[in-house]
Amino acid sequence: MNKILQFFKKELMLTVALLAAIISLFITPPSLELVKSIDWKTLAILFMLLTVLEGFKKENIFSPLLKLTSRLKSMKGLSCFFVYSVFLTSMFVTNDVSLIIFVPLTIILFKAGNKEKYILPVLTFENIAAIRGSLLTPFGSPQNLYLFSQSGIPAYSFILMMLPLWIFSAILLYIFILFLYRKDLKEEISITEKNICSPWKPENKGKRILYLSLFILVIATIVTRTKFWPIVTVITAILFLIFDRKILIKTDYVLLLTFLCFFTFSSSICHKPEIADFLSKTVTNHEYLWSILLSQIISNVPASIVLWPFTTNLQALIYGLDSAGLCSIIGSLASVINLRIYNREYPGKTLKFIITFTWISLIFFAIVVLPQWILIKYF
């Protein structure tokens, strides 16, 4: 029993999500309809990504990228590289994926260069970059994709609607980076290649090809929005069982269970008729505020599903949803992923991450929230 309590104390986000899911099941009893409403596609894609990237880690597939970034000698330059890599790639492979790729690399390089004091603020900048970079495209985030599909708005209209937020966020992120290194904008970092990556083993070439092929397959599944994602998931699992089943043991099932609990909570709430009736009376003309506040309880992806049927202003809804992740960890599931990656490298430091993340993100939110409201109100 003591070990179980220690586990839940260590895994704070899972504990919160699990309690929320259990409470919600008393509000709406379990049913087949409830099970079907859970976002199994997101869970499947996350499982595939986490498993494939464990393979990447095992075989040092990111070695060429690590060698390239190790040539950057200033902390400002290195931080800009990672932050804007997340910012730009999140538009095409979703904010979750961009964080899964670049956050571990950031930790590796900063540890190798003895600059761990900067890890938390830079990871927070990357989190903001993932949230704000992904908002430009219809497929940059799950909530964007859902609302784009439901609304029928043309892609160019969607991009034009989000462009002012994207440009302003890109500029603001650079200002934040400059402020972090304000005492010495030319502060250097020294990294030797042997400290960050091991040479590739020739006998494992086949596994590297397999992992890269599966990664491309998963990205294609995300971008094309194929309905055959269950088949892709089964194929991925079978290939790992055949060629490298030990990787399946290392997959972060705690993160998957955390997501499942959040989805269970949101689905239970949505299926309560009294709650649905309340939302239908209060959401209209208040989409911006509702999307931000509700996301702090159930995160922005489930919030988009809950609020869309009651929405008359798409711009207000999506501006709020794409800003909600700046208020708290729960506001965006991408932030939960970021926290989990950090926890695996620094166990027991959840609170430290949350404190740093919260105050930096809230400052960013305070700067962008009013201009966004003005755009909604007058443009």
Side-chain angles (χ1 to χ4, degrees), residues 355-368:
I355 291 171
T356 303
F357 169 90
T358 302
W359 75 261
I360 293 176
S361 292
L362 279 176
I363 291 172
F364 198 99
F365 175 78
I367 296 171
V368 302

Side-chain angles (χ1 to χ4, degrees), residues 120 329 338-339 342 349-357:
L120 276 175
I329 292 287
N338 198 359
L339 170 60
Y342 177 80
K349 294 189 177 181
T350 299
L351 188 59
K352 187 177 180 181
F353 180 98
I354 291 174
I355 291 171
T356 303
F357 169 90

Side-chain angles (χ1 to χ4, degrees), residues 149-189:
S149 301
Q150 293 294 320
S151 65
I153 185 175
Y156 70 88
S157 297
F158 185 97
I159 292 172
L160 284 175
M161 180 174 65
M162 308 305 289
L163 188 60
L165 277 60
W166 187 82
I167 293 173
F168 185 46
S169 298
I171 296 169
L172 194 54
L173 275 168
Y174 186 67
I175 294 172
F176 271 52
I177 293 171
L178 290 179
F179 184 80
L180 177 64
Y181 300 110
R182 63 192 180 281
K183 292 182 179 179
D184 183 6
L185 291 176
K186 296 182 179 180
E187 181 175 348
E188 293 186 352
I189 181 171

Side-chain angles (χ1 to χ4, degrees), residues 136-310:
L136 182 65
T137 60
F139 43 79
S141 64
Q143 69 270 14
N144 279 19
L145 181 57
Y146 174 77
L147 294 174
F148 174 71
S149 301
Q150 293 294 320
S151 65
I153 185 175
Y156 70 88
S157 297
F158 185 97
I159 292 172
L160 284 175
M161 180 174 65
M162 308 305 289
L163 188 60
L165 277 60
W166 187 82
I167 293 173
F168 185 46
S169 298
I171 296 169
L172 194 54
L173 275 168
Y174 186 67
I175 294 172
F176 271 52
I177 293 171
L178 290 179
F179 184 80
L180 177 64
Y181 300 110
R182 63 192 180 281
K183 292 182 179 179
D184 183 6
L185 291 176
K186 296 182 179 180
E187 181 175 348
E188 293 186 352
I189 181 171
S190 178
I191 305 171
T192 56
E193 289 184 8
K194 66 179 181 180
N195 290 337
I196 57 173
C197 51
S198 305
W200 285 349
K201 296 178 181 179
E203 63 270 22
N204 288 348
K205 181 180 179 181
K207 287 185 178 180
R208 290 193 293 274
I209 293 173
L210 172 66
Y211 300 149
L212 284 167
S213 300
L214 287 174
F215 181 72
I216 293 169
L217 180 62
V218 176
I219 296 300
T221 302
I222 296 169
V223 174
T224 60
R225 294 174 274 176
T226 178
K227 295 180 181 178
F228 300 108
W229 59 267
I231 297 174
V232 178
T233 306
V234 172
I235 290 172
T236 301
I238 290 173
L239 287 173
F240 273 106
L241 280 171
I242 295 172
F243 296 104
D244 200 350
R245 65 185 62 186
K246 290 182 179 179
I247 292 293
L248 290 171
I249 300 173
K250 295 182 179 180
T251 300
D252 192 351
Y253 295 106
V254 170
L255 179 60
L256 290 170
L257 183 57
T258 302
F259 269 52
L260 176 60
C261 290
F262 277 129
F263 287 143
T264 301
F265 176 79
S266 60
S267 296
S268 298
I269 295 299
C270 293
H271 280 77
K272 188 68 174 177
E274 291 84 355
I275 295 175
D277 182 59
F278 171 75
L279 290 173
S280 67
K281 295 176 181 176
T282 57
V283 171
T284 303
N285 298 322
H286 301 93
E287 291 89 349
Y288 189 50
L289 180 62
W290 262 102
S291 57
I292 293 171
L293 294 179
L294 186 60
S295 295
Q296 308 316 308
I297 302 172
I298 62 175
S299 87
N300 53 8
V301 178
S304 66
I305 300 171
V306 172
L307 297 176
W308 168 248
F310 315 108

